[in-house]
Amino acid sequence: MSDVILRNVNKIYPNGVQAVFDFNIEIEHGEFIVLAGPSGCGKSTTLRMIAGLEEISSGDLIINGKRVNDVAPRDRDIAMVFQNYALYAHMTVYQNLAFSLTIRKVDSDEIHVRVMKAAEILGLTPYLNRKPKQLSGGQRQRVAVGRSIVRNPVVFLFDEPLSNLDAKLRGTMRKEIMLLHKRLNSTFVYVTHDQIEALTLADRIVVMADGRVQQIASPKEMFDCPVNLFVAGFIGTPPMNFYNGEITPDGYFLHIDGTKIKLNDTQREALFDKGYAGKRVVMASRPDYVFVDDAMLSENVDSTIQIDVDYTEFLGAYSLIYGMFGGENIIAKINDRFDTSNRQIKACFEMKKVHFYDVDSTNVIV
Ligand code: ADP
């Protein structure tokens, strides 16, 4: 059984703004779902509807087999982990963890068992008698998470929990959240605008834009096969390269600068079958699959292009070459240092990693 189901969920705010359009997903028990997308795309609204902090305008929200549209947040079997954790300063860690159960009049033996288990999961056992001010920032955050854990919710909800942290702490906390998910074996729904967090944490990513779900897929699938130009541009750093041109009747992609790139059999068949011969398309390739080394160039003569190099960045394990391909930006990611003195270079594509998109619908063709 799915832990959380959203069926045709819409959200229209009282001022008439529709923030979410027809959202559908079935979230399995133990899944880590990340809602990702740029600011204003409707991801927090979706999370807050699951939490019960925003009313659902239409559609169904089912948690643990029960329709909960009209159930109060505290009765929903969910726990929301907020960015700013307000701990009770005068209480010990133990009392902070026990508090929500005490006010719910849970039996004290049961409270003790749950608090000790949460403390063990979070590595807080040695600190149970300390007050919050005697803890580090990271430990305090763990106490806040512990207050959710003791309630045994079906679903944990996270709204951009790492966005206020510096890059290094963000990396550490990302690891903690990943480990927490493993240890708890519960369902997580996590909102972020950061596609790296989405790729590293999620079992499945939901990419949203303008209130609409664009694609729901595993990180690998989303990276390898973005369904439209929006997802292609959103997921992955450095971003996907896009090239404008048209499909020629003899089986080439003719770039706007006149360069001809030969389609492979799969691409030619798909593009011809769908009527794209003679039509404009967008070709897309990740920087990871633009090559400049001699071995790849000799293997891919039919997909060789000329790049005017603007500058390069050396990043230790790899380098990025930034340049222009016939008036369009192109980035190549290569595993070596690169000699910047060479202003015009040859590069090639690994065609099986190249995608084609419809210019009007922006949807993937092949
Ligand atoms: P995200 O979390 O992806 O940044 P939100 O869900 O916060 O996006 O917002 C989605 C859209 O709904 C935005 O256009 C935003 O301005 C609008 N919105 C959010 N909250 C309200 C509100 N309380 N009243 C009216 N419009 C809102």
Side-chain angles (χ1 to χ4, degrees), residues 34 36-37 160 170 174 192-199 234:
V34 175
E160 306 242 11
R170 229 172 20 233
R174 218 165 47 213
T192 182
H193 63 274
D194 179 351
Q195 54 89 30
I196 299 211
E197 268 173 44
L199 285 171
F234 181 73

Side-chain angles (χ1 to χ4, degrees), residues 62-80:
I62 292 147
I63 297 178
N64 218 9
K66 206 171 92 189
R67 187 177 187 273
V68 293
N69 289 46
D70 304 316
V71 172
R74 55 171 297 166
D75 300 323
R76 278 193 186 193
D77 272 345
I78 53 108
M80 186 118 170

